[in-house]
Every structure is written in C-alpha cells, then in structure tokens.
Amino acid sequence: MGRTTTNIPMSHRVLSPHHNYDAGHNPCDQQPVQLCGSIFGFLEEEATMSSSENDIYNIQQDIEDEECEDPEDIEDKIKFWETQHQNLHTTLVRTTSLESKIRNITKEVLEEVKMAENVCSCPRSVSGGCRSCLMREICSRLQKSGYDSAICKSRWKNSSDFPSGEHTFLDVIDSSNHKKDSVRVIIELELRGQFEMKKGSEEYNSLVCKLPDLFVGKPERLQTVIKILSNAAKECMKEKKMHLGPWRKRRYMQAKWLRVAERSRVMTTVKPLVEDECST
Ligand SMILES: [Zn+2]
C-alpha cells in the first residue's frame, strides 16, 4: 500500500503521509516543511505569469513530477505487465490434441455460420445467429463428431462479495481414455468480451486484446486465464485509484464457468427447441 504510480501534483505528494519518496539526490528529496514553503511561493509566482510562461512552467513541472516518481514503482509496473503478457501467452499457446480437435470443429461451425444466410432457429433471428442458436449448432455438430457435448448453465447467488448471476457456455466431456479419468473441455464463444473494461488502462486493454474470442480449453487453463486477467484488473484499478467492480473479481469470474448448475445435451434429432413458427 501507499505506492503511487500516477502523476500527482507536488502539493499532494507533500501532504500524503503514505507516499514513498525516492531517496536519491533530486529536488524532491527535501524536508516537507521546506517544500511547503516553496509551493506557496510557487503559487504566488504562478499568478503573475502570462499563459505562455505558464505552459512552459507546467511542462517543466510535469517533467519534474515524473522524475520524482519512485523509479522502483515504474520498474515494478513495467515488470508486472510484462509478466502478465508472458503468462497469458504461455497459457494460451499450450494445447492438447483433444482441445485442438474440438477447437477445429467449433471454428468450422463458426465459419459456416458466417457464410449462411440464417442460422437462427429462434424467433429472434439474429443475423449470424444469436448466442444460444450458435451454441446449439456447435453442440449438435460436436455430438455428430462423436463428442459428449452439452450446453452448461452456471448460476450463483447474491452474496456479500458479489451480485447473483448466470452464464451459459458449452463443454465436452471426454471419457475415451478408459485408463484415465474423463477430461472436460470448456468452450466459450466470447471470452474477450467477458474481460473488456471501458475504463481499463492502456496496459490492461492491451492484455485483453491478446485474448481470443473463442476459448477452447480445460478448466485448469481457463482458471489460469481468469487468475491473470482478474489480477490485471485489480492492478489496473489500483493504478487508476478506482474501485474494482465485484463482477470483475476472480471469484465472480470463476463462478461463470466453474460452478455448473445444469448440463443439458441438446436433442437435435428429436424435437426442435423452438415453436413451429420457426421451422416454416
Ligand atoms: Zn437464435
């Protein structure tokens, strides 16, 4: 705590008891009492300056302020974001053959859907297919390819930590290797969207940009992605001195995919899931 990385006017720095000063020999390394005196002097001086002089003075002041920032803080900050990029890359680049096969089938369906005129079988008929029709289509295709795929719904209750909510996504349970336990693979069609933040910092947003829309991977892999992104969101809000929304916290994100309440296999050949009006 008490570390600041944003540019704070000099007067605030002096008044803040938590700020870590650089112990080096620079103009900031003075006694607070003396600095306060110089600030008052500076305010009087500023009042007599012309606007262009003022601009120059402000630029110089900005440079000085930046120089005052604890170099360790800046280094830590750079290192933090570099590490997150590396960790995310390592997590996303790894894949098993099962994950690859499922990813390829899902991508195929998404490509076909793009070409098709109307894939929506629901009354909403969104061009390109709504999320639920898209999931149904992918689920049925995976089943046709021999996978035990299903549409999963997670639900969580209101708690003191975060609000209630629900989320729908796909999964595949593979039990083909009888010698081992079955393997679960999660399919999320809008992973990036789950982490996008309007007020995100440049560093946070560039990390989010590295996320794919389509995520196909084992829960452990998703768990790692959540950990990286929620830590990054926390750091981003800390740097901006803003409150982190509870829906951005790691436990809330985990609840989306890791607390499954329902798992339903869509019966593609038996009945249409929507009313008759859609099949005409
Ligand atoms: Zn639809």
Side-chain angles (χ1 to χ4, degrees):
M1 291 300 282
R3 290 193 328 174
T4 46
T5 44
T6 42
N7 247 347
I8 304 164
M10 182 79 82
S11 53
H12 290 197
R13 290 180 176 215
V14 173
L15 295 173
S16 164
H18 303 296
H19 190 74
N20 288 335
Y21 288 100
D22 178 19
H25 299 285
N26 62 36
C28 299
D29 196 18
Q30 291 175 38
Q31 291 301 311
V33 180
Q34 282 174 298
L35 256 178
C36 283
S38 68
I39 284 164
F40 291 130
F42 143 64
L43 288 175
E44 279 161 24
E45 222 177 289
E46 193 183 38
T48 60
M49 274 193 264
S50 71
S51 62
S52 63
E53 279 170 334
N54 222 342
D55 286 347
I56 294 163
Y57 194 90
N58 284 340
I59 291 164
Q60 282 171 344
Q61 196 62 37
D62 281 349
I63 294 166
E64 278 171 23
D65 277 356
E66 253 167 48
E67 282 169 356
C68 280
E69 200 164 13
D70 191 336
E72 270 183 37
D73 276 0
I74 302 166
E75 259 175 49
D76 282 356
K77 194 178 148 182
I78 294 170
K79 203 179 258 175
F80 173 85
W81 290 106
E82 271 177 11
T83 310
Q84 308 316 306
H85 274 273
Q86 278 166 11
N87 290 349
L88 187 65
H89 179 75
T90 317
T91 310
L92 294 173
V93 91
R94 279 192 197 134
T95 189
T96 63
S97 71
L98 176 69
E99 288 169 327
S100 292
K101 283 177 200 161
I102 297 169
R103 190 178 300 115
N104 288 342
I105 295 169
T106 310
K107 276 185 177 172
E108 247 174 56
V109 178
L110 291 174
E111 280 301 311
E112 283 172 26
V113 160
K114 245 191 233 169
M115 312 293 266
E117 260 182 34
N118 188 16
V119 282
C120 236
S121 56
C122 72
R124 273 176 288 173
S125 266
V126 179
S127 81
C130 71
R131 189 176 155 93
S132 87
C133 290
L134 217 52
M135 283 199 288
R136 203 169 295 151
E137 188 64 34
I138 294 165
C139 190
S140 101
R141 185 73 67 84
L142 284 165
Q143 283 174 358
K144 279 178 197 159
S145 307
Y147 292 101
D148 173 9
S149 62
I151 293 176
C152 301
K153 194 168 206 171
S154 57
R155 251 187 231 116
W156 56 96
K157 286 180 183 166
N158 214 359
S159 75
S160 55
D161 292 337
F162 47 72
S164 64
E166 55 178 56
H167 188 66
T168 318
F169 58 97
L170 290 148
D171 80 351
V172 167
I173 291 180
D174 179 65
S175 319
S176 58
N177 190 339
H178 301 294
K179 288 178 192 162
K180 288 184 180 172
D181 290 340
S182 53
V183 176
R184 185 167 174 240
V185 173
I186 291 174
I187 306 164
E188 169 57 57
L189 302 180
E190 295 162 10
L191 184 72
R192 195 188 307 135
Q194 304 295 325
F195 293 95
E196 277 170 354
M197 216 196 286
K198 267 187 194 165
K199 287 176 181 168
S201 62
E202 210 180 298
E203 291 92 345
Y204 178 81
N205 292 343
S206 88
L207 189 68
V208 171
C209 278
K210 299 280 156 63
L211 287 173
D213 266 333
L214 171 67
F215 172 86
V216 178
K218 291 193 272 183
E220 306 87 75
R221 212 181 297 289
L222 183 57
Q223 184 75 280
T224 312
V225 171
I226 293 172
K227 188 180 160 190
I228 296 168
L229 268 298
S230 43
N231 274 348
K234 202 169 150 187
E235 179 65 22
C236 159
M237 289 291 113
K238 200 175 105 190
E239 283 171 9
K240 296 187 101 187
K241 297 195 184 337
M242 285 168 77
H243 178 71
L244 180 73
W247 59 92
R248 303 224 172 260
K249 289 187 176 165
R250 194 201 296 193
R251 282 181 57 215
Y252 188 91
M253 285 295 180
Q254 283 173 336
K256 279 190 186 178
W257 297 282
L258 308 169
R259 273 193 210 178
V260 178
E262 267 171 43
R263 189 175 187 269
S264 65
R265 293 178 181 85
V266 185
M267 304 307 283
T268 45
T269 48
V270 181
K271 62 176 175 88
L273 282 133
V274 204
E275 269 64 56
D276 291 340
E277 51 179 316
C278 269
S279 54
T280 51

Short mmCIF file of all heavy atoms in Angstrom, two decimals, residues 210-249:
data_model
loop_
_atom_site.label_atom_id
_atom_site.label_comp_id
_atom_site.label_asym_id
_atom_site.label_seq_id
_atom_site.Cartn_x
_atom_site.Cartn_y
_atom_site.Cartn_z
N LYS A 210 -5.15 -9.59 -26.27
CA LYS A 210 -4.46 -10.85 -26.54
C LYS A 210 -5.37 -12.05 -26.35
O LYS A 210 -5.01 -13.17 -26.72
CB LYS A 210 -3.21 -10.99 -25.64
CG LYS A 210 -2.18 -9.91 -25.83
CD LYS A 210 -1.32 -10.20 -27.06
CE LYS A 210 -0.69 -8.96 -27.66
NZ LYS A 210 0.24 -8.28 -26.76
N LEU A 211 -6.51 -11.83 -25.74
CA LEU A 211 -7.44 -12.94 -25.52
C LEU A 211 -8.18 -13.26 -26.81
O LEU A 211 -8.58 -12.34 -27.53
CB LEU A 211 -8.48 -12.57 -24.45
CG LEU A 211 -8.04 -12.52 -23.00
CD1 LEU A 211 -9.18 -11.98 -22.15
CD2 LEU A 211 -7.63 -13.90 -22.50
N PRO A 212 -8.39 -14.53 -27.09
CA PRO A 212 -9.19 -14.86 -28.27
C PRO A 212 -10.67 -14.71 -27.94
O PRO A 212 -11.05 -14.73 -26.77
CB PRO A 212 -8.84 -16.34 -28.49
CG PRO A 212 -8.54 -16.87 -27.14
CD PRO A 212 -7.96 -15.73 -26.34
N ASP A 213 -11.50 -14.56 -28.96
CA ASP A 213 -12.94 -14.59 -28.73
C ASP A 213 -13.33 -16.01 -28.33
O ASP A 213 -14.00 -16.24 -27.35
CB ASP A 213 -13.70 -14.19 -30.00
CG ASP A 213 -14.00 -12.71 -30.02
OD1 ASP A 213 -14.12 -12.12 -28.94
OD2 ASP A 213 -14.11 -12.15 -31.13
N LEU A 214 -12.88 -16.94 -29.15
CA LEU A 214 -13.20 -18.34 -28.91
C LEU A 214 -12.15 -18.98 -28.01
O LEU A 214 -10.97 -19.04 -28.37
CB LEU A 214 -13.28 -19.11 -30.25
CG LEU A 214 -13.39 -20.62 -30.14
CD1 LEU A 214 -14.71 -21.05 -29.52
CD2 LEU A 214 -13.20 -21.28 -31.51
N PHE A 215 -12.61 -19.47 -26.88
CA PHE A 215 -11.70 -20.20 -25.99
C PHE A 215 -12.13 -21.66 -25.95
O PHE A 215 -13.30 -21.96 -25.71
CB PHE A 215 -11.74 -19.61 -24.58
CG PHE A 215 -10.96 -20.43 -23.58
CD1 PHE A 215 -9.60 -20.24 -23.41
CD2 PHE A 215 -11.59 -21.44 -22.83
CE1 PHE A 215 -8.86 -21.01 -22.51
CE2 PHE A 215 -10.86 -22.22 -21.93
CZ PHE A 215 -9.50 -22.00 -21.78
N VAL A 216 -11.20 -22.55 -26.20
CA VAL A 216 -11.46 -23.98 -26.05
C VAL A 216 -10.33 -24.54 -25.21
O VAL A 216 -9.17 -24.54 -25.63
CB VAL A 216 -11.52 -24.70 -27.43
CG1 VAL A 216 -11.73 -26.19 -27.24
CG2 VAL A 216 -12.63 -24.12 -28.30
N GLY A 217 -10.64 -24.96 -24.02
CA GLY A 217 -9.58 -25.47 -23.16
C GLY A 217 -10.10 -26.10 -21.88
O GLY A 217 -11.26 -25.93 -21.52
N LYS A 218 -9.20 -26.81 -21.24
CA LYS A 218 -9.57 -27.48 -19.99
C LYS A 218 -9.82 -26.44 -18.89
O LYS A 218 -9.28 -25.33 -18.95
CB LYS A 218 -8.43 -28.42 -19.57
CG LYS A 218 -8.31 -29.61 -20.51
CD LYS A 218 -7.41 -30.68 -19.94
CE LYS A 218 -5.97 -30.45 -20.30
NZ LYS A 218 -5.08 -31.51 -19.81
N PRO A 219 -10.61 -26.78 -17.89
CA PRO A 219 -10.93 -25.83 -16.82
C PRO A 219 -9.70 -25.24 -16.15
O PRO A 219 -9.69 -24.06 -15.78
CB PRO A 219 -11.75 -26.65 -15.82
CG PRO A 219 -12.29 -27.79 -16.61
CD PRO A 219 -11.32 -28.08 -17.69
N GLU A 220 -8.64 -26.06 -16.02
CA GLU A 220 -7.42 -25.56 -15.36
C GLU A 220 -6.81 -24.41 -16.16
O GLU A 220 -6.26 -23.46 -15.61
CB GLU A 220 -6.35 -26.66 -15.22
CG GLU A 220 -6.82 -27.93 -14.54
CD GLU A 220 -7.45 -28.93 -15.49
OE1 GLU A 220 -6.71 -29.58 -16.24
OE2 GLU A 220 -8.68 -29.06 -15.50
N ARG A 221 -6.88 -24.54 -17.48
CA ARG A 221 -6.34 -23.50 -18.34
C ARG A 221 -7.17 -22.21 -18.20
O ARG A 221 -6.62 -21.12 -18.12
CB ARG A 221 -6.36 -23.99 -19.80
CG ARG A 221 -5.21 -23.44 -20.61
CD ARG A 221 -5.26 -23.89 -22.05
NE ARG A 221 -5.13 -25.32 -22.26
CZ ARG A 221 -4.00 -26.02 -22.09
NH1 ARG A 221 -2.92 -25.41 -21.69
NH2 ARG A 221 -3.95 -27.32 -22.31
N LEU A 222 -8.48 -22.40 -18.17
CA LEU A 222 -9.36 -21.23 -18.02
C LEU A 222 -9.14 -20.58 -16.66
O LEU A 222 -9.11 -19.35 -16.53
CB LEU A 222 -10.82 -21.67 -18.18
CG LEU A 222 -11.87 -20.56 -18.13
CD1 LEU A 222 -11.62 -19.50 -19.19
CD2 LEU A 222 -13.27 -21.11 -18.30
N GLN A 223 -8.97 -21.41 -15.68
CA GLN A 223 -8.68 -20.95 -14.31
C GLN A 223 -7.45 -20.02 -14.30
O GLN A 223 -7.45 -18.97 -13.67
CB GLN A 223 -8.44 -22.24 -13.52
CG GLN A 223 -8.21 -22.25 -12.08
CD GLN A 223 -9.42 -22.02 -11.23
OE1 GLN A 223 -9.81 -20.88 -11.08
NE2 GLN A 223 -9.98 -23.06 -10.64
N THR A 224 -6.42 -20.42 -15.04
CA THR A 224 -5.19 -19.61 -15.11
C THR A 224 -5.46 -18.29 -15.83
O THR A 224 -4.98 -17.24 -15.41
CB THR A 224 -4.06 -20.39 -15.83
OG1 THR A 224 -3.99 -21.69 -15.27
CG2 THR A 224 -2.72 -19.71 -15.70
N VAL A 225 -6.22 -18.36 -16.92
CA VAL A 225 -6.56 -17.13 -17.66
C VAL A 225 -7.32 -16.16 -16.74
O VAL A 225 -7.02 -14.97 -16.68
CB VAL A 225 -7.41 -17.47 -18.92
CG1 VAL A 225 -7.94 -16.20 -19.57
CG2 VAL A 225 -6.60 -18.27 -19.92
N ILE A 226 -8.27 -16.70 -15.99
CA ILE A 226 -9.06 -15.88 -15.06
C ILE A 226 -8.16 -15.23 -14.02
O ILE A 226 -8.27 -14.04 -13.72
CB ILE A 226 -10.16 -16.73 -14.37
CG1 ILE A 226 -11.20 -17.19 -15.38
CG2 ILE A 226 -10.84 -15.94 -13.24
CD1 ILE A 226 -12.20 -18.20 -14.83
N LYS A 227 -7.24 -16.02 -13.51
CA LYS A 227 -6.33 -15.52 -12.47
C LYS A 227 -5.50 -14.35 -13.03
O LYS A 227 -5.40 -13.29 -12.39
CB LYS A 227 -5.40 -16.67 -12.03
CG LYS A 227 -4.55 -16.34 -10.84
CD LYS A 227 -3.69 -17.54 -10.48
CE LYS A 227 -2.51 -17.11 -9.63
NZ LYS A 227 -1.54 -18.19 -9.47
N ILE A 228 -4.95 -14.52 -14.22
CA ILE A 228 -4.12 -13.47 -14.82
C ILE A 228 -4.94 -12.21 -15.05
O ILE A 228 -4.54 -11.10 -14.67
CB ILE A 228 -3.49 -13.96 -16.15
CG1 ILE A 228 -2.54 -15.13 -15.89
CG2 ILE A 228 -2.78 -12.83 -16.88
CD1 ILE A 228 -2.09 -15.88 -17.14
N LEU A 229 -6.11 -12.38 -15.67
CA LEU A 229 -6.92 -11.21 -16.02
C LEU A 229 -7.53 -10.52 -14.81
O LEU A 229 -7.62 -9.28 -14.78
CB LEU A 229 -8.03 -11.61 -17.02
CG LEU A 229 -7.70 -11.48 -18.50
CD1 LEU A 229 -7.40 -10.02 -18.85
CD2 LEU A 229 -6.55 -12.33 -18.96
N SER A 230 -7.92 -11.28 -13.80
CA SER A 230 -8.51 -10.60 -12.65
C SER A 230 -7.44 -9.91 -11.80
O SER A 230 -7.71 -8.85 -11.23
CB SER A 230 -9.42 -11.51 -11.82
OG SER A 230 -8.85 -12.76 -11.63
N ASN A 231 -6.25 -10.47 -11.78
CA ASN A 231 -5.14 -9.76 -11.11
C ASN A 231 -4.81 -8.48 -11.85
O ASN A 231 -4.53 -7.44 -11.24
CB ASN A 231 -3.88 -10.64 -11.09
CG ASN A 231 -3.87 -11.58 -9.90
OD1 ASN A 231 -4.66 -11.43 -8.99
ND2 ASN A 231 -2.98 -12.55 -9.94
N ALA A 232 -4.85 -8.57 -13.18
CA ALA A 232 -4.55 -7.40 -14.01
C ALA A 232 -5.61 -6.32 -13.81
O ALA A 232 -5.29 -5.13 -13.72
CB ALA A 232 -4.48 -7.81 -15.47
N ALA A 233 -6.88 -6.73 -13.71
CA ALA A 233 -7.96 -5.76 -13.49
C ALA A 233 -7.79 -5.06 -12.14
O ALA A 233 -7.99 -3.86 -12.02
CB ALA A 233 -9.31 -6.47 -13.55
N LYS A 234 -7.37 -5.84 -11.16
CA LYS A 234 -7.15 -5.31 -9.82
C LYS A 234 -6.02 -4.27 -9.83
O LYS A 234 -6.15 -3.18 -9.29
CB LYS A 234 -6.77 -6.48 -8.90
CG LYS A 234 -6.99 -6.27 -7.44
CD LYS A 234 -6.83 -7.62 -6.75
CE LYS A 234 -6.32 -7.47 -5.35
NZ LYS A 234 -6.01 -8.77 -4.75
N GLU A 235 -4.94 -4.64 -10.50
CA GLU A 235 -3.78 -3.74 -10.59
C GLU A 235 -4.14 -2.47 -11.36
O GLU A 235 -3.77 -1.36 -10.98
CB GLU A 235 -2.61 -4.48 -11.26
CG GLU A 235 -1.34 -3.66 -11.45
CD GLU A 235 -0.68 -3.24 -10.14
OE1 GLU A 235 -0.93 -3.90 -9.11
OE2 GLU A 235 0.08 -2.24 -10.15
N CYS A 236 -4.89 -2.65 -12.43
CA CYS A 236 -5.30 -1.53 -13.28
C CYS A 236 -6.12 -0.52 -12.47
O CYS A 236 -5.89 0.69 -12.53
CB CYS A 236 -6.09 -2.08 -14.46
SG CYS A 236 -7.16 -0.92 -15.29
N MET A 237 -7.07 -1.02 -11.69
CA MET A 237 -7.92 -0.14 -10.89
C MET A 237 -7.12 0.50 -9.75
O MET A 237 -7.37 1.64 -9.39
CB MET A 237 -9.12 -0.93 -10.33
CG MET A 237 -10.14 -1.30 -11.37
SD MET A 237 -11.04 0.14 -12.01
CE MET A 237 -10.49 0.20 -13.68
N LYS A 238 -6.14 -0.24 -9.25
CA LYS A 238 -5.29 0.30 -8.18
C LYS A 238 -4.47 1.47 -8.72
O LYS A 238 -4.37 2.52 -8.11
CB LYS A 238 -4.37 -0.81 -7.66
CG LYS A 238 -3.79 -0.53 -6.29
CD LYS A 238 -2.98 -1.72 -5.79
CE LYS A 238 -1.51 -1.42 -5.89
NZ LYS A 238 -0.67 -2.59 -5.64
N GLU A 239 -3.94 1.27 -9.93
CA GLU A 239 -3.15 2.33 -10.56
C GLU A 239 -4.00 3.55 -10.84
O GLU A 239 -3.54 4.68 -10.77
CB GLU A 239 -2.52 1.81 -11.86
CG GLU A 239 -1.32 0.91 -11.64
CD GLU A 239 -0.83 0.23 -12.92
OE1 GLU A 239 -1.32 0.59 -14.01
OE2 GLU A 239 0.04 -0.65 -12.81
N LYS A 240 -5.28 3.29 -11.20
CA LYS A 240 -6.16 4.42 -11.51
C LYS A 240 -6.87 4.96 -10.28
O LYS A 240 -7.70 5.86 -10.39
CB LYS A 240 -7.20 3.98 -12.55
CG LYS A 240 -6.59 3.61 -13.90
CD LYS A 240 -7.64 3.34 -14.92
CE LYS A 240 -7.78 4.55 -15.83
NZ LYS A 240 -8.89 4.43 -16.76
N LYS A 241 -6.59 4.35 -9.15
CA LYS A 241 -7.21 4.72 -7.88
C LYS A 241 -8.73 4.66 -7.98
O LYS A 241 -9.46 5.56 -7.56
CB LYS A 241 -6.77 6.12 -7.44
CG LYS A 241 -5.28 6.22 -7.16
CD LYS A 241 -4.97 7.46 -6.40
CE LYS A 241 -3.52 7.71 -6.16
NZ LYS A 241 -2.62 6.60 -6.18
N MET A 242 -9.19 3.58 -8.61
CA MET A 242 -10.64 3.40 -8.74
C MET A 242 -11.04 2.09 -8.08
O MET A 242 -10.21 1.21 -7.86
CB MET A 242 -11.01 3.36 -10.23
CG MET A 242 -10.99 4.73 -10.89
SD MET A 242 -11.09 4.58 -12.67
CE MET A 242 -12.82 4.24 -12.85
N HIS A 243 -12.32 1.99 -7.79
CA HIS A 243 -12.85 0.80 -7.13
C HIS A 243 -13.05 -0.31 -8.16
O HIS A 243 -13.55 -0.07 -9.25
CB HIS A 243 -14.19 1.18 -6.47
CG HIS A 243 -14.86 0.04 -5.80
ND1 HIS A 243 -14.36 -0.50 -4.62
CD2 HIS A 243 -15.95 -0.67 -6.13
CE1 HIS A 243 -15.16 -1.50 -4.27
NE2 HIS A 243 -16.12 -1.62 -5.15
N LEU A 244 -12.65 -1.51 -7.80
CA LEU A 244 -12.83 -2.66 -8.70
C LEU A 244 -14.24 -3.23 -8.51
O LEU A 244 -14.61 -3.61 -7.41
CB LEU A 244 -11.77 -3.73 -8.40
CG LEU A 244 -11.80 -4.99 -9.25
CD1 LEU A 244 -11.30 -4.72 -10.66
CD2 LEU A 244 -10.98 -6.10 -8.61
N GLY A 245 -15.02 -3.25 -9.59
CA GLY A 245 -16.38 -3.79 -9.52
C GLY A 245 -16.35 -5.25 -9.07
O GLY A 245 -15.46 -5.98 -9.48
N PRO A 246 -17.31 -5.65 -8.22
CA PRO A 246 -17.29 -7.03 -7.71
C PRO A 246 -17.39 -8.06 -8.83
O PRO A 246 -16.90 -9.17 -8.69
CB PRO A 246 -18.51 -7.09 -6.79
CG PRO A 246 -19.32 -5.88 -7.07
CD PRO A 246 -18.40 -4.85 -7.64
N TRP A 247 -18.04 -7.70 -9.94
CA TRP A 247 -18.18 -8.63 -11.07
C TRP A 247 -16.87 -8.80 -11.84
O TRP A 247 -16.81 -9.52 -12.81
CB TRP A 247 -19.30 -8.15 -12.00
CG TRP A 247 -19.04 -6.78 -12.54
CD1 TRP A 247 -18.40 -6.48 -13.71
CD2 TRP A 247 -19.38 -5.53 -11.92
NE1 TRP A 247 -18.31 -5.13 -13.86
CE2 TRP A 247 -18.90 -4.51 -12.78
CE3 TRP A 247 -20.03 -5.18 -10.74
CZ2 TRP A 247 -19.06 -3.17 -12.47
CZ3 TRP A 247 -20.18 -3.84 -10.44
CH2 TRP A 247 -19.70 -2.86 -11.30
N ARG A 248 -15.83 -8.10 -11.42
CA ARG A 248 -14.52 -8.25 -12.06
C ARG A 248 -13.57 -9.08 -11.21
O ARG A 248 -12.45 -9.33 -11.59
CB ARG A 248 -13.88 -6.88 -12.30
CG ARG A 248 -14.72 -5.96 -13.11
CD ARG A 248 -13.92 -5.24 -14.14
NE ARG A 248 -14.80 -4.52 -15.03
CZ ARG A 248 -15.15 -4.94 -16.22
NH1 ARG A 248 -14.69 -6.08 -16.68
NH2 ARG A 248 -15.96 -4.23 -16.98
N LYS A 249 -14.06 -9.42 -10.02
CA LYS A 249 -13.19 -10.16 -9.11
C LYS A 249 -13.05 -11.61 -9.57
O LYS A 249 -13.92 -12.14 -10.25
CB LYS A 249 -13.76 -10.10 -7.69
CG LYS A 249 -13.60 -8.70 -7.11
CD LYS A 249 -13.98 -8.63 -5.67
CE LYS A 249 -13.70 -7.21 -5.16
NZ LYS A 249 -14.36 -6.97 -3.89
#
